[in-house]
Amino acid sequence: MRIISRLRRERIAVASASLTLADRTLPVTVRCNPRARRMILRIAPCSGAVVITVPSGVSVDDGVAFARSKSEWLRSRLGALPRRIPFAPGAEIPLQGVPHRIRHDPAQPRRAVNAAGGEIVVGGTLGRLSDQVHAWLRNRAREALAPRVEGAAARIGRRPGRIAIRDQRTRWGSCAANGNLSFNWRLIMAPPVVLDYVVAHELAHLVERGHGPAFWRVVETLTPEARNARQWLSQHGSGLMLYG
């Protein structure tokens, strides 16, 4: 289930480059799309990455030159993007939909991270705080998702494969043909009903591979709040990409 629109499968080549503006150097992804009639420049709203789509026969250098010619537009759009929220003392992040403020307590044991009273208290050194919070959230995501998968799979009489927790930018979850499941760790920041929905969505693919009426009936069987959860993701999902 993608967060942003799926890139067309016809894009047969991807290259990485960089673009230097007056005050910064930006990573650039150049994608070739044989069906494209002209070069297209966009900025990924979550990551701020510069993406250039080019027709067949257009070189990477030509694509970067095109982006450079739009430098004023790039600076304007990048400046208007929402600011990222790093995992740092004083930062407020959601945990299962509830705001929590990060507090560093060096008196706590190294690697210790605990949530209580609207705070996420992190021990150890300040330099490791961000990595500790990230690892802790990934573990919390696995702890929250694994029993949901087990319970939902039993309800539809299916046996899923392995569960992976990943740092994805364009998916909340996926279900491979062999039944292996993958989930975005940032789901732990969403309300519980959203986790229920994403698990239901991916497990429904063990019954129906497509997204036809039969698929959505399975989803609705597993979670009656599917519509509300989808609406929440549509409105707030991209904001979760700003954390960390």
Side-chain angles (χ1 to χ4, degrees), residues 7 14 35-36 57 128 142 155 179 182 191 206 208 214 218 234 241:
L7 293 167
V14 179
R35 297 178 61 182
R128 293 287 301 167
R142 180 177 291 278
R155 290 174 61 189
S182 175
L206 297 178
E208 296 286 340
V218 176
S234 176
M241 297 295 122

Side-chain angles (χ1 to χ4, degrees), residues 29 33-34 52 56 85 89 113 129-130 150 163 198 206 215-216 226 237:
T29 299
N33 182 349
I52 309 163
S56 296
I85 304 168
V113 182
L129 182 143
S130 179
E150 182 179 358
I163 299 174
V198 175
L206 297 178
F215 169 85
W216 291 111

Side-chain angles (χ1 to χ4, degrees), residues 36-232:
R37 296 178 178 272
R38 57 187 177 86
M39 288 188 279
I40 301 171
L41 179 65
R42 62 182 287 268
I43 297 175
C46 297
S47 64
V50 177
V51 181
I52 309 163
T53 301
V54 301
S56 296
V58 176
S59 69
V60 171
D61 288 344
D62 287 341
V64 173
F66 171 71
R68 188 176 296 111
S69 72
K70 306 294 184 181
S71 59
E72 290 300 322
W73 180 86
L74 283 171
R75 275 194 288 266
S76 174
R77 291 298 297 270
L78 288 168
L81 287 176
R83 292 183 178 274
R84 298 193 64 81
I85 304 168
F87 294 147
E92 187 176 87
I93 67 173
L95 179 62
Q96 292 196 312
V98 179
H100 284 66
R101 193 167 298 279
I102 296 175
R103 178 166 65 87
H104 178 227
D105 183 357
Q108 296 294 318
R110 185 169 64 94
R111 298 183 181 177
V113 182
N114 297 286
E119 288 187 325
I120 296 175
V121 183
V122 187
T125 64
L126 187 59
R128 293 287 301 167
L129 182 143
S130 179
D131 290 341
Q132 286 178 234
V133 173
H134 180 262
W136 181 77
L137 288 172
R138 287 181 71 116
N139 289 336
R140 289 290 297 266
R142 180 177 291 278
E143 292 170 0
L145 289 162
R148 284 176 162 84
V149 169
E150 182 179 358
R155 290 174 61 189
I156 58 174
R158 294 295 192 273
R159 180 176 296 178
R162 295 190 303 272
I163 299 174
I165 306 298
R166 303 188 186 280
D167 188 3
Q168 300 157 310
R169 290 290 177 178
T170 60
R171 288 182 183 269
W172 291 118
S174 63
C175 177
N178 62 3
N180 288 344
L181 301 168
S182 175
F183 296 100
N184 192 316
W185 68 266
R186 295 170 187 274
L187 284 169
I188 196 59
M189 295 189 281
V193 67
V194 174
L195 277 71
D196 294 339
Y197 164 66
V198 175
V199 166
H201 184 282
E202 301 312 330
L203 283 177
H205 283 304
L206 297 178
V207 181
E208 296 286 340
R209 294 305 300 175
H211 289 89
F215 169 85
W216 291 111
R217 284 195 293 271
V218 176
V219 173
E220 293 285 350
T221 297
L222 292 173
T223 173
E225 296 294 326
R227 179 173 298 180
N228 291 336
R230 290 175 67 190
Q231 184 177 13
W232 191 96

